[in-house]
Amino acid sequence: MLSIGIDIGSTQTKGVILRDGKDIVKKSLLKVGTGTSSSKKILDTLLKNTDITLDDIDVIVSTGYGRKTFEQAKMQLSELSAHSLGVCNSIENVGTIIDIGGQDVKIMDISNNKLQNFVMNDKCAAGTGRFLDMMARVFELDVSELEGVAKKSKEVVAISSICTVFAESEVISHLSNGCKIEDICSGLHHSVAKRVASLSGRLEIKDNVVMSGGVAKNGDVVKWLEKELNKKIIVPKDCEFMGAIGAAVYGFSKTR
Amino acid sequence: MEKRAKDILNELMDKHYKEAVDAKKNNIPVGWVSSNFPQEFIEAMGLVVLYPENQTAAISAKHESMKFIEEAGKMGYSNDVCGYARVSLAYTKLKESDAQNMPLPDYILCCNNICNQLIKWFENIAKDLDIPMILFDVPYNNDYEVTESRLNYMKEQTKYLVSELEKITGKKFKKENLERVMKISNECGKEWRRAQEFAKAKPCPLSGFEMFNYMALMLCARGRQETVDLIKMLADELENNHKAGKSTFRGEEKHRVLMEGITCWPHLRHNYKTMVKNGINLAGTVYTDTWGRMYDDIDEMLISYGLVLDNLNLERAIKRRTNIVRKAQCDGAVIHMNRSCKIWDGFLYEMERRIHDETGIPTVMYDGDQADERCYSEAQFETRIQGLCEIMEQNKLEGVK
Amino acid sequence: MKEINIILNRFSYIANNPRKIVEDHVAKGKKVFGCFPSYCPEEIVYALNAIPVGLWGGNIKPFKAKKYLPSFFCNILQECLELSINGTYNNLSGVIIPCVCDSLKAVGQNFKVAAPHLPFIPLVQPQNREMDFATEYLKCEYKQVTEKIEKITGNTLTDNKMNEANEVYNVHRKIMREFLMLANEYTDIITPLYRHKIVKSSYFIDKKEHTKMVKELIKKLKTLPKSKPYKKVGLLGIMMDSDEMLNYFDELNLSIAFDELLHETRQFRFDADMIYEDGLKNLCTRWQKTIGCSLLYDANKTRIDMILELIKDNNVDGVVICKTTFCDPEDYDLPFVISALKENGIFYTVVEIDDKDSIEKSKTKLQTFSEIIE
């Protein structure tokens, strides 16, 4: 049985084809989010270069910010439930999931492979993927390059501003004061980790912390977050696909 | 070397905190009180009290506030809650500060003449620590004056206040003690006004920022003779400096400004350095001007507590500012959009327009916070101060006033 | 079924068209007075033969209000100020603005300057409510309000008229309490949206008229079979005024078993005692009794116990905290509310309704919430 999970986020669209709710047959990622042509494109991209056609697919489930606008989906699921299912599908005994997405930070409390409770950040963009995108632009870097740069840091520069506009001006003034990019960069990662950790007061972080979402690929953020939470963090191989995988798992379990 | 006012200031502040620590050791109840509470009753009853606003300002000025603000976030407080409140509420949990420690309270006294957030802040401490709270409710003045009904309401509350305090602390209230404290407090207010007068002189005998230092003592001990002596000493020093044409302000006082709003404690140094660099001195500060309280009887005293800065209606609030601008011959105004203080910010835009319209001086507004260091941008402040300077210079060239 | 829909639609029409309703009042020669949130003495307006209407903002993006208020003031008050400036409230003969929070104090002062065409009727209720001398003070404030309205309407307040108005309001509150209890059993018909519209409509018409309508609705409801129970939730906070969100509750099969919203239930909890000849003094007793509200001083935080009691009485599956951004009184209570919920094992989520983005996010949260309690 084949199920498709589509996760339409604010900045990216992810899709997976899953066989029997377990094995990934194909996965695709488009760098455009909700409100764009991505929802149509993602299915084409997923099926391209495979011998699978849409008729072979038993169920399509959407999740993410744009979940309700995806017409081909038979069901839709909130991204929190989807991330939980996705992570629990690939890792055992999960205690807490932290997902840093484009505009949201979510912390999910998991027991017995089930979502028990969750918290999300407030309106402010600090601590989200978007914050890092904006800061990468200041350095004229791609967001994927931030980790590599930050790893060279020897003397981290503290970034204190909470508002993105002020943080940007703080970064610029550090740059013009001759601070090294790598030190500022690591400081930014630290500030993101601090913002995320501040949510932990609202929901207990248990052992076996798993991080999902694109920002989890940034090892420097993960390192800072481990420090702030004083916990080891597991990053699954397909961390940015957890929502899509969860949606496909859900489709499988409901259709089976 | 002869002791100067600022040396004695530190000694008195240390003494104030030590008294509370000693009291706690001897099982004497210690109270926490809001800044503009009618302290005359407390002092008259010889109660040992501390002022959390002093502590939070000290913690913020010494760059320790973020530790508490982060803790408050974990406790579930939104970033939109007043920074002082967040620092203070987190302190009751962490109980440890390098900048300023103080014993936790056995009772809490709140006067909402500065704001209503204070009620919630103190309410939460009372609930958390399970201690009694007394609210001295001072209604906001929509009118220019304090209405008779408000005065009567406050008067009735003093009776309630005294009887509750007697119950909580076991101490007795004596009218003659109140009269004595009122006399001292008046004297203190008088000397403070005198010091403020010289601070407004042209050129200033001091850097305006120095007056902030004395506020903590005016707040917690204005009913004590030693404070009167100190403030008199300060006023004398300023008078002597003024007569000798000396000043503690570094460099040339090119411009004199009005500083509006609660101090941006976490970035006070940057504020100061930027202004000095531009030859700007604080000739008038709205914040410090509030402590020159004088009265002849209980009614007048209560009215003065009704007319605390943030309890004024728009017209009276504007008049306070324009009076300072004129008296201190300010060339411009620097206005703090203090993220913490809604009551102060609430009509600040209108106030800025009116200060400008009524006095003709240029104004500049900057973002900041009294405790949360994250709400400030050095670049923004520098640019705005520079802009203000350019206008003030141009005004001088053109002879505009 | 059809008949009940006619009644329900009438409520919705009123709630959705306050401007038109006010125009109708004015066309009939009635004077209308606006009441900012919250706890305005509507009874005084009513006793002076005028109509009080509740002003709680509207679906509008503040623009002119930004000249006066910094961005970190709540939407409700930003919108109220905007509507005062842009002429929407021009049919009102005056606006009462109380001072139960710091933002309201500032909004009142700005209102004077920003909307000089609307008579400003300020009011500051005492926070030390239960003492007799506080009532004396409150009565003086009410008298000031009375005098201002008397001058505008040309009518004079008598104890008789005041007590009649107190009675009309007591009866209305009683029927609203009864309705809100009953609505819980007819969640198929009284959907979250209708429930809200029925309450909201009471802000715009003569309370006698509203009482009549609600009575009729109750009568009709009682003839119908009770609904099958959905998942039941309670709403906490200031207000939940988004049609989109309320419909989403329905879509997710969540029914609202109780609310403790300032905009809704908190308005109906306490009646005026009718023990004095003095009508204003009777009205004061209502304020004296009011507890369980974030805006009113209470060192015991009775509100938390009241919330837990509501949860127990209504046997809900969880609660939704409707957070009004930049509402400091609520922000201070929130840690206590949440820890009480946690201690009692009650599932909750916090939603914020400010703009389109926050609605989307809130819908995600609500959906997850419903997926968990399923």
Side-chain angles (χ1 to χ4, degrees):
Chain A
M1 180 179 161
L2 293 173
S3 59
I4 284 183
I6 306 284
D7 179 2
I8 307 163
S10 58
T11 51
Q12 289 183 340
T13 303
K14 284 88 47 176
V16 294
I17 306 175
L18 224 56
R19 189 180 304 282
D20 299 332
K22 191 79 200 159
D23 307 315
I24 298 174
V25 178
K26 177 90 189 283
K27 55 176 201 260
S28 313
L29 186 148
L30 296 176
K31 292 219 165 206
V32 278
T34 181
T36 61
S37 55
S38 64
S39 37
K40 285 191 184 62
K41 264 191 219 148
I42 190 79
L43 277 183
D44 297 342
T45 324
L46 263 181
L47 297 170
K48 208 164 123 188
N49 300 332
T50 64
D51 44 18
I52 304 168
T53 68
L54 211 47
D55 291 338
D56 302 325
I57 305 294
D58 297 283
V59 62
I60 302 175
V61 178
S62 62
T63 186
Y65 194 70
R67 65 189 179 282
K68 278 175 245 144
T69 53
F70 194 74
E71 286 165 13
Q72 293 93 327
K74 196 171 152 198
M75 290 174 260
Q76 51 104 343
L77 186 68
S78 74
E79 51 265 43
L80 291 117
S81 298
H83 272 273
S84 312
L85 283 171
V87 170
C88 293
N89 192 53
S90 46
I91 292 169
E92 281 177 6
N93 291 326
V94 179
T96 299
I97 303 171
I98 297 173
D99 170 63
I100 306 184
Q103 60 178 10
D104 286 329
V105 177
K106 316 172 188 84
I107 300 185
M108 291 155 261
D109 178 39
I110 309 287
S111 283
N112 304 320
N113 291 330
K114 274 177 97 172
L115 175 62
Q116 305 292 330
N117 206 345
F118 65 97
V119 289
M120 285 166 90
N121 64 321
D122 52 29
K123 267 168 78 153
C124 171
T128 67
R130 183 171 293 173
F131 177 77
L132 289 178
D133 284 343
M134 285 172 75
M135 295 307 143
R137 231 172 289 152
V138 177
F139 299 126
E140 295 179 44
L141 291 171
D142 185 79
V143 70
S144 62
E145 297 172 281
L146 290 178
E147 179 187 7
V149 173
K151 285 249 154 100
K152 286 183 233 148
S153 166
K154 291 199 175 66
E155 208 176 327
V156 180
V157 173
I159 305 291
S160 65
S161 300
I162 197 166
C163 137
T164 20
V165 181
F166 278 6
E168 190 172 334
S169 118
E170 200 180 343
V171 166
I172 292 168
S173 71
H174 283 312
L175 280 174
S176 53
N177 287 338
C179 293
K180 290 191 180 132
I181 290 189
E182 56 260 36
D183 295 336
I184 303 170
C185 202
S186 197
L188 279 170
H189 292 157
H190 188 193
S191 85
V192 168
K194 269 174 120 168
R195 288 286 288 170
V196 175
S198 74
L199 283 174
S200 68
R202 286 157 52 191
L203 191 74
E204 191 204 348
I205 307 279
K206 298 191 292 201
D207 283 335
N208 287 331
V209 183
V210 180
M211 208 170 143
S212 65
V215 177
K217 290 203 294 190
N218 184 326
D220 199 46
V221 173
V222 177
K223 178 197 87 187
W224 281 116
L225 196 53
E226 285 184 324
K227 216 173 215 172
E228 283 296 319
L229 297 173
N230 200 17
K231 293 252 170 354
K232 188 98 194 72
I233 293 175
I234 308 156
V235 179
K237 196 172 118 247
D238 296 310
C239 56
E240 71 266 53
F241 288 96
M242 288 301 145
I245 294 173
V249 170
Y250 181 77
F252 169 74
S253 68
K254 289 281 168 188
T255 322
R256 187 173 42 165
Chain B
M1 207 176 93
E2 205 188 329
K3 273 186 188 166
R4 290 190 51 212
K6 64 176 184 188
D7 306 315
I8 296 173
L9 171 69
N10 291 335
E11 287 171 14
L12 290 182
M13 285 310 293
D14 288 346
K15 189 182 147 205
H16 163 71
Y17 284 107
K18 192 170 173 297
E19 265 175 23
V21 173
D22 291 345
K24 200 78 181 180
K25 273 187 205 145
N26 296 316
N27 287 323
I28 296 166
V30 172
W32 278 14
V33 187
S34 64
S35 59
N36 277 278
F37 198 92
Q39 54 83 32
E40 285 78 356
F41 295 93
I42 301 167
E43 200 68 54
M45 289 176 76
L47 307 182
V48 182
V49 296
L50 294 164
Y51 293 81
E53 288 155 82
N54 266 352
Q55 185 199 27
T56 53
I59 287 176
S60 306
K62 289 176 185 162
H63 306 287
E64 204 194 3
S65 53
M66 288 321 294
K67 174 174 113 188
F68 297 99
I69 280 174
E70 279 164 19
E71 182 62 27
K74 287 182 188 158
M75 290 162 81
Y77 287 102
S78 152
N79 277 328
D80 300 321
V81 162
C82 160
Y84 276 4
R86 278 181 288 152
V87 169
S88 180
L89 286 159
Y91 180 80
T92 62
K93 208 174 156 214
L94 296 178
K95 304 183 188 73
E96 188 60 51
S97 156
D98 297 333
Q100 185 62 65
N101 268 319
M102 60 189 218
L104 293 187
D106 301 296
Y107 59 95
I108 195 153
L109 310 178
C110 176
C111 181
N112 60 328
N113 52 357
I114 48 174
C115 69
N116 274 18
Q117 272 204 46
L118 204 61
I119 301 179
K120 300 300 288 184
W121 162 8
F122 278 34
E123 203 179 275
N124 287 10
I125 291 179
K127 180 76 183 167
D128 269 335
L129 302 179
D130 193 20
I131 54 170
M133 166 165 172
I134 301 174
L135 170 66
F136 193 87
D137 181 25
V138 178
Y140 183 72
N141 299 304
N142 280 297
D143 296 328
Y144 196 88
E145 300 293 344
V146 174
T147 60
E148 203 189 325
S149 63
R150 281 169 171 72
L151 176 61
N152 288 335
Y153 177 45
M154 286 193 267
K155 264 160 98 174
E156 290 294 333
Q157 286 185 86
T158 61
K159 296 177 202 158
Y160 158 78
L161 169 70
V162 164
S163 78
E164 288 295 302
L165 278 177
E166 285 181 340
K167 269 187 249 164
I168 294 170
T169 63
K171 296 232 177 168
K172 276 270 159 274
F173 171 78
K174 289 197 187 85
K175 199 153 184 261
E176 57 268 31
N177 285 349
L178 179 69
E179 278 158 7
R180 177 179 49 81
V181 173
M182 282 170 67
K183 217 175 133 208
I184 296 171
S185 305
N186 243 313
E187 206 46 42
C188 204
K190 202 175 102 194
E191 289 302 331
W192 182 259
R193 275 193 197 185
R194 194 162 74 91
Q196 283 283 352
E197 285 305 307
F198 287 116
K200 289 184 189 118
K202 191 172 184 178
C204 291
L206 84 168
S207 159
F209 278 94
E210 285 171 42
M211 288 304 276
F212 290 136
N213 300 333
Y214 294 89
M215 264 182 21
L217 191 70
M218 283 306 287
L219 206 151
C220 67
R222 58 189 182 274
R224 294 184 176 189
Q225 189 55 44
E226 60 217 39
T227 311
V228 180
D229 299 342
L230 172 74
I231 301 300
K232 185 173 180 303
M233 191 173 171
L234 169 70
D236 291 346
E237 280 177 17
L238 294 181
E239 187 174 6
N240 290 337
N241 270 3
H242 178 63
K243 280 183 183 153
K246 284 196 297 191
S247 176
T248 55
F249 183 72
R250 287 201 322 230
E252 184 198 350
E253 182 180 288
K254 281 196 266 180
H255 308 289
R256 302 159 59 80
V257 299
L258 168 79
M259 195 76 163
E260 164 70 49
I262 295 178
T263 321
C264 181
W265 296 113
H267 298 281
L268 186 61
R269 226 189 129 63
H270 182 259
N271 281 177
Y272 171 73
K273 272 169 58 188
T274 310
M275 310 235 319
V276 168
K277 211 167 83 190
N278 286 283
I280 297 177
N281 198 2
L282 303 190
T285 67
V286 179
Y287 198 23
T288 56
D289 226 51
T290 64
W291 300 101
R293 173 175 282 117
M294 287 170 76
Y295 45 74
D296 278 333
D297 53 28
I298 291 195
D299 281 12
E300 280 186 27
M301 176 186 93
L302 290 174
I303 287 171
S304 80
Y305 282 105
L307 292 174
V308 163
L309 215 50
D310 287 317
N311 216 39
L312 305 179
N313 76 350
L314 178 67
E315 291 74 18
R316 191 160 190 149
I318 290 166
K319 195 156 181 210
R320 277 231 176 143
R321 274 74 178 181
T322 51
N323 278 347
I324 299 175
V325 168
R326 291 193 181 109
K327 216 167 201 174
Q329 303 176 57
C330 297
D331 309 306
V334 178
I335 300 174
H336 183 194
M337 179 52 84
N338 175 4
R339 189 64 180 70
S340 271
C341 194
K342 271 201 190 145
I343 183 69
W344 205 312
D345 300 333
F347 53 68
L348 207 50
Y349 288 152
E350 180 63 15
M351 181 120 78
E352 181 181 28
R353 287 189 287 269
R354 298 274 279 268
I355 291 174
H356 174 74
D357 289 351
E358 288 177 27
T359 64
I361 61 167
T363 61
V364 70
M365 195 178 274
Y366 73 96
D367 294 300
D369 191 272
Q370 61 201 37
D372 191 334
E373 66 177 38
R374 298 171 299 183
C375 308
Y376 180 83
S377 162
E378 293 193 349
Q380 188 208 56
F381 189 76
E382 285 165 18
T383 312
R384 292 188 185 181
I385 290 299
Q386 197 184 346
L388 180 73
C389 261
E390 285 160 7
I391 301 172
M392 290 191 294
E393 264 154 34
Q394 190 184 315
N395 282 350
K396 273 180 192 155
L397 281 175
E398 291 169 4
V400 181
K401 184 69 208 162
Chain C
M1 214 38 214
K2 215 171 173 188
E3 271 175 75
I4 206 152
N5 279 336
I6 294 171
I7 303 176
L8 290 174
N9 288 337
R10 171 89 188 123
F11 282 115
S12 294
Y13 176 79
I14 295 166
N16 294 337
N17 297 283
R19 214 172 158 171
K20 175 81 182 54
I21 303 296
V22 169
E23 270 170 28
D24 292 349
H25 292 315
V26 173
K28 282 183 200 142
K30 281 269 189 184
K31 288 225 179 329
V32 183
F33 288 81
C35 298
F36 268 44
S38 180
Y39 302 113
C40 282
E42 287 191 21
E43 291 89 335
I44 296 175
V45 179
Y46 193 87
L48 286 165
N49 199 26
I51 305 273
V53 297
L55 307 179
W56 292 73
N59 212 349
I60 182 172
K61 216 172 168 60
F63 175 69
K64 289 180 172 150
K66 296 269 179 217
K67 185 178 161 192
Y68 298 92
L69 291 175
S71 56
F72 45 89
F73 276 62
C74 73
N75 266 0
I76 300 173
L77 296 182
Q78 296 253 14
E79 289 166 11
C80 281
L81 190 61
E82 181 77 17
L83 296 166
S84 305
I85 301 170
N86 76 7
T88 307
Y89 292 164
N90 280 3
N91 262 324
L92 304 180
S93 299
V95 175
I96 306 177
I97 305 183
C99 285
V100 277
C101 70
D102 290 336
S103 305
L104 272 163
K105 295 177 191 172
V107 165
Q109 296 305 306
N110 281 309
F111 178 90
K112 268 195 298 199
V113 185
H117 58 291
L118 293 169
F120 172 43
I121 307 170
L123 162 73
V124 188
Q125 296 104 324
Q127 283 285 357
N128 270 330
R129 299 181 301 285
E130 68 278 20
M131 295 119 180
D132 285 339
F133 56 78
T135 296
E136 279 306 308
Y137 161 71
L138 179 61
K139 211 185 121 184
C140 291
E141 284 291 289
Y142 282 172
K143 263 194 184 145
Q144 279 208 22
V145 171
T146 306
E147 280 160 19
K148 290 207 162 92
I149 299 174
E150 280 179 337
K151 222 170 138 191
I152 297 167
T153 58
N155 299 329
T156 313
L157 188 71
T158 62
D159 280 329
N160 255 346
K161 283 193 211 163
M162 193 60 235
N163 279 326
E164 264 174 48
N166 284 336
E167 198 57 51
V168 168
Y169 272 74
N170 279 350
V171 169
H172 179 255
R173 284 186 285 259
K174 191 162 165 263
I175 201 84
M176 288 308 289
R177 292 194 294 266
E178 189 188 333
F179 162 71
L180 289 169
M181 294 271 279
L182 195 71
N184 197 355
E185 295 171 12
Y186 295 92
T187 46
D188 271 345
I189 303 161
I190 311 296
T191 60
L193 188 65
Y194 275 133
R195 188 184 182 281
H196 166 72
K197 298 289 178 192
I198 290 162
V199 173
K200 189 177 175 184
S201 61
S202 74
Y203 280 105
F204 308 123
I205 58 171
D206 187 326
K207 288 291 188 291
K208 249 188 208 162
E209 175 68 21
H210 198 260
T211 301
K212 217 171 96 192
M213 286 171 66
V214 177
K215 266 190 184 159
E216 202 184 329
L217 175 66
I218 290 176
K219 211 171 108 193
K220 288 267 151 42
L221 272 180
K222 283 182 172 167
T223 65
L224 299 170
K226 291 183 181 175
S227 305
K228 278 192 278 342
Y230 284 155
K231 286 284 172 191
K232 292 200 286 186
V233 299
L235 302 185
L236 314 182
I238 297 290
M239 76 191 289
M240 172 46 85
D241 194 25
S242 156
D243 287 10
E244 191 178 343
M245 271 312 276
L246 288 162
N247 278 328
Y248 204 58
F249 276 88
D250 208 19
E251 218 175 288
L252 297 169
N253 283 333
L254 299 173
S255 64
I256 292 165
F258 76 85
D259 79 82
E260 68 96 48
L261 302 172
L262 178 65
H263 186 225
E264 304 192 8
T265 287
R266 286 189 218 171
Q267 299 296 320
F268 309 121
R269 276 182 181 156
F270 301 98
D271 294 329
D273 289 339
M274 303 299 283
I275 45 178
Y276 307 108
E277 214 170 293
D278 183 337
L280 283 179
K281 212 168 165 188
N282 283 332
L283 181 60
C284 288
T285 61
R286 189 167 123 72
W287 178 254
Q288 211 169 11
K289 282 192 279 185
T290 303
I291 50 167
C293 178
S294 53
L295 296 157
L296 309 188
Y297 165 55
D298 179 2
N300 295 319
K301 298 251 179 222
T302 319
R303 178 180 174 217
I304 310 297
D305 301 326
M306 287 166 76
I307 290 172
L308 291 175
E309 213 164 291
L310 281 167
I311 291 169
K312 214 175 112 202
D313 291 349
N314 291 285
N315 196 21
V316 290
D317 297 286
V319 297
V320 178
I321 299 169
C322 310
K323 190 175 182 299
T324 297
T325 313
F326 306 126
C327 175
D328 44 88
E330 286 279 312
D331 281 349
Y332 278 92
D333 273 4
L334 199 57
F336 290 88
V337 172
I338 287 178
S339 70
L341 295 176
K342 278 184 179 164
E343 266 168 37
N344 289 279
I346 294 144
F347 193 61
Y348 69 91
T349 190
V350 184
V351 298
E352 267 173 284
I353 313 293
D354 300 310
D355 47 31
K356 188 72 194 139
D357 264 7
S358 66
I359 287 184
E360 279 311 320
K361 193 163 167 179
S362 295
K363 282 166 96 172
T364 301
K365 284 181 169 179
L366 195 64
Q367 184 178 350
T368 313
F369 172 85
S370 77
E371 285 162 359
I372 294 175
I373 62 174
E374 210 167 68

